[in-house]
């Protein structure tokens, strides 16, 4: 009986352990299954369904993700796209460490281009109101007006960028900032091409001067001309062909600008957006390399055959145009080397880009308003003549009472 009782007790104990172990395993298995279900990722819902506007700070792409505008981002995406479906945050408000750099950049832009903007506007007003002997060279004056309008527009785009930073401060709309950011690319090309046309015109005047010299040689046999008319005629013929090369690239630049704006603000394929950025930056890099090499090579050659009375003006204009093209070329090369076509540029690099843009604007301004002759441009008699012309345009005496310095300045600027 004792053995039977012990055996029964052992059996009951093992049965209890078996039940307990089975319950423990069932509970553990149930917990494991429940844990896996709780950590499983939620099903992906495309932005077309949950956020088609990407918080008005990006583009909802065809793959269902948001491509945020520059300086905006979300939890799971970047400024160049990602897996997120929102763009709620911006650099200026969320990345506090970058705010001092952004502020310094805006001040830098405002000071540099604010000064050039005021000077270019002043020069444009002078050209319009003083009426620089338009009867003598109407074509030259029209070209000068065109250049000054382009210069003022370019300075305006760059100055307006200082008022905001990609719309982060709610001063400028995001899409307007995109326009004023990319517009200088094409206006710089148009500006350089227009000044180049004016440069060609100077050589045409030089040709006329040499033709007069040739006529003078027939009248006065002992007269010696510095350069033959035939040599200059050949150079001018080549320049006319070279001029169409510049104009053709200017037209292509306009087309690329339109394409860039469409892709940036409406493109729904991330691969297409990246390809467009690469094409845009590669085009301007190749363009400015060709412009710079071509102008320096042929510009310096043509200066050697200029008459002495035109050499000073043409040399100054040639050197300033070389400065313009070299700065624009360096700007484009640094941008593409820095990978701007792939992602937003480093905040520290944009200071370099802004300075090189300013050099271009300053060089163009000095062609039509030499800063070293400031005493001629800002004398009291000229300003008084300008004000009297604007306030008493109906009076005949106002046009005839220009000071001698203003008249002299008019002739000088018309020749430039």
């Amino acid at each position: 009986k004792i053995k039977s009782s012990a055996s029964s007790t052992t059996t009951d104990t093992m049965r209890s352990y078996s039940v307990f172990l089975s319950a423990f395993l069932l509970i553990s298995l149930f917990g494991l299954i429940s844990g896996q279900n709780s950590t499983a990722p939620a099903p992906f819902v495309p932005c077309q369904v949950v956020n088609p506007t990407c918080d008005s700070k990006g583009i909802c792409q065809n793959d269902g993700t948001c491509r945020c505008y520059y300086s905006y981002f979300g939890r799971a995406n970047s400024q160049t796209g990602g897996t997120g479906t929102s763009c709620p945050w911006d650099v200026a408000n969320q990345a506090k460490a970058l705010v001092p750099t952004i502020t310094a950049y805006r001040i830098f832009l405002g000071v540099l281009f604010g000064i050039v903007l005021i000077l270019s506007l002043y020069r444009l007003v002078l050209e319009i109101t003083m009426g620089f002997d338009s009867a003598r060279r109407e074509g030259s004056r029209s070209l000068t007006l065109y250049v000054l309008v382009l210069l003022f527009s370019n300075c305006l785009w760059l100055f307006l960028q200082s008022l905001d930073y990609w719309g982060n401060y709610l001063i400028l709309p995001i899409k307007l900032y995109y326009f004023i950011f990319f517009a200088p690319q094409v206006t710089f090309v148009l500006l350089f091409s227009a000044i180049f046309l004016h440069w060609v015109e100077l050589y045409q005047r030089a040709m006329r001067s040499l033709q007069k010299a040739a006529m003078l040689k027939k009248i006065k046999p002992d007269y010696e001309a510095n350069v033959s008319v035939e040599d200059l005629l050949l150079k001018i013929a080549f320049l006319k062909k070279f001029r169409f090369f510049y104009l053709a690239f200017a037209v292509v630049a306009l087309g690329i600008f339109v394409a860039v704006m469409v892709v940036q603000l409406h493109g729904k394929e991330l691969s297409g957006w990246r390809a467009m950025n690469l094409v845009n930056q590669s085009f301007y890099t190749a363009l400015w390399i060709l412009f710079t090499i071509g102008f320096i090579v042929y510009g310096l050659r043509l200066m050697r055959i200029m008459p002495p009375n035109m050499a000073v003006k043409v040399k100054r204009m040639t050197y300033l145009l070389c400065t313009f093209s070299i700065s624009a070329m360096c700007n484009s090369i640094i941008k593409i080397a820095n990978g701007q076509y792939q992602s937003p540029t480093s905040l520290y690099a944009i200071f370099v880009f802004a300075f090189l843009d300013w050099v271009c604007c300053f060089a163009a301004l000095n062609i039509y308003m030499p800063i070293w002759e400031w005493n001629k441009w800002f004398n009291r008699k000229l300003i008084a003549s300008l004000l009297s012309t604007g306030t008493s345009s109906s009076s005949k005496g106002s046009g005839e009472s220009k000071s001698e310095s203003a008249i002299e300045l008019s002739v000088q600027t018309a020749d430039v």
Side-chain angles (χ1 to χ4, degrees):
K1 290 183 179 179
I2 295 174
K3 289 182 179 180
S4 176
S5 176
S7 176
S8 177
T9 303
T10 303
T11 303
D12 293 340
T13 302
M14 291 180 64
R15 187 178 299 164
S16 299
Y17 277 121
S18 299
V19 172
F20 176 77
L21 182 60
S22 299
F24 177 78
L25 291 175
L26 287 173
I27 293 173
S28 299
L29 182 61
F30 178 77
L32 181 62
I33 295 174
S34 299
Q36 288 180 345
N37 290 335
S38 62
T39 58
F44 175 74
V45 181
C47 57
Q48 289 89 344
V49 177
V50 295
N51 192 7
T53 63
C54 293
D55 302 304
S56 299
K57 298 173 184 177
I59 300 297
C60 184
Q61 302 174 114
N62 291 332
D63 62 358
T65 65
C66 286
R67 171 176 60 83
C68 300
Y69 292 139
Y70 287 138
S71 81
Y72 295 91
F73 57 95
R75 179 175 287 103
N77 55 10
S78 65
Q79 297 163 359
T80 56
T83 59
T85 57
S86 64
C87 304
W89 302 318
D90 59 76
V91 172
N93 292 305
Q94 270 67 41
K96 298 298 183 181
L98 299 177
V99 172
T101 306
I102 295 175
T103 303
Y105 172 69
R106 294 173 63 196
I107 295 174
F108 186 71
L109 273 181
V111 172
L112 282 185
F113 292 101
I115 295 173
V116 181
L117 178 66
I118 294 173
L119 292 176
S120 61
L121 177 61
Y122 176 72
R123 178 63 182 86
L124 179 60
V125 171
L126 283 179
E127 185 68 29
I128 295 173
T129 58
M130 299 298 288
F132 289 144
D133 197 10
S134 58
R136 277 202 312 141
R137 277 188 290 271
E138 185 64 33
S140 176
R141 182 169 182 263
S142 299
L143 189 56
T144 301
L145 279 172
Y146 175 65
V147 170
L148 293 175
V149 169
L150 283 175
L151 176 60
F152 173 74
S153 301
N154 217 31
C155 295
L156 180 62
W157 307 144
L158 292 161
F159 174 76
L160 287 177
Q161 292 181 30
S162 68
L163 302 181
D164 207 326
Y165 186 76
W166 296 102
N168 288 185
Y169 296 94
L170 304 178
I171 298 175
L172 297 176
I174 300 174
K175 293 184 178 180
L176 176 60
Y177 201 94
Y178 263 88
F179 175 83
I180 64 176
F181 180 81
F182 286 102
Q185 286 185 326
V186 65
T187 51
F188 269 129
V189 175
L190 296 175
L191 179 61
F192 184 85
S193 300
I195 299 176
F196 176 78
L197 294 179
H198 203 174
W199 185 72
V200 173
E201 186 179 320
L202 286 181
Y203 277 102
Q204 290 176 334
R205 292 183 203 167
M207 183 181 67
R208 289 193 290 268
S209 298
L210 286 182
Q211 287 175 335
K212 292 178 181 179
M215 293 177 62
L216 183 60
K217 187 174 182 179
K218 294 180 181 179
I219 299 172
K220 187 178 180 182
D222 59 343
Y223 175 79
E224 292 292 336
N226 293 329
V227 181
S228 67
V229 180
E230 290 76 12
D231 289 341
L232 194 55
L233 282 172
L234 292 175
K235 299 297 182 181
I236 292 296
F238 176 78
L239 273 179
K240 289 182 177 179
K241 296 179 181 179
F242 207 52
R243 176 176 58 186
F244 291 109
F245 170 79
Y246 280 85
L247 291 176
F249 270 105
V251 172
V252 175
L254 279 171
I256 289 182
F257 169 72
V258 174
V260 167
M261 292 302 299
V262 171
V263 172
Q264 288 285 347
L265 299 177
H266 302 285
K268 294 187 177 182
E269 290 290 342
L270 184 59
S271 58
W273 176 81
R274 286 175 175 166
M276 187 70 252
N277 285 345
L278 178 59
V279 168
N280 178 55
Q281 204 56 58
S282 300
F283 169 77
Y284 283 105
T285 302
L287 176 71
W288 285 113
I289 290 175
L290 292 175
F291 273 16
T292 302
I293 295 176
F295 185 79
I296 289 177
V297 170
Y298 290 101
L300 296 179
R301 285 183 183 179
L302 288 170
M303 278 200 307
R304 300 174 184 174
I305 65 172
M306 286 303 300
N309 62 330
M310 295 292 291
V312 175
K313 296 176 183 177
V314 173
K315 281 184 179 180
R316 183 182 69 186
M317 194 171 187
T318 303
Y319 292 145
L320 288 171
L321 274 176
C322 287
T323 303
F324 187 126
S325 61
I326 291 173
S327 298
M329 179 186 68
C330 292
N331 201 340
S332 296
I333 292 175
I334 296 173
K335 283 179 179 178
I336 198 169
N338 198 49
Q340 188 186 23
Y341 64 91
Q342 294 178 338
S343 61
T345 307
S346 164
L347 279 177
Y348 300 102
I350 59 180
F351 285 90
V352 177
F353 302 149
F355 177 74
L356 291 173
D357 285 338
W358 178 83
V359 171
C360 294
C361 292
F362 190 71
L365 178 64
N366 272 273
I367 292 176
Y368 297 91
M369 187 179 175
I371 199 67
W372 51 85
E373 296 179 358
W374 64 270
N375 56 327
K376 295 181 180 179
W377 293 97
F378 298 101
N379 64 76
R380 290 184 300 172
K381 292 181 179 180
L382 176 61
I383 296 175
S385 176
L386 171 64
L387 294 175
S388 65
T389 303
T391 55
S392 58
S393 58
S394 60
S395 174
K396 295 181 179 180
S398 63
E400 298 174 356
S401 62
K402 289 183 179 180
S403 64
E404 293 182 1
S405 61
I407 295 175
E408 179 185 358
L409 183 59
S410 300
V411 174
Q412 289 176 353
T413 52
D415 288 337
V416 172

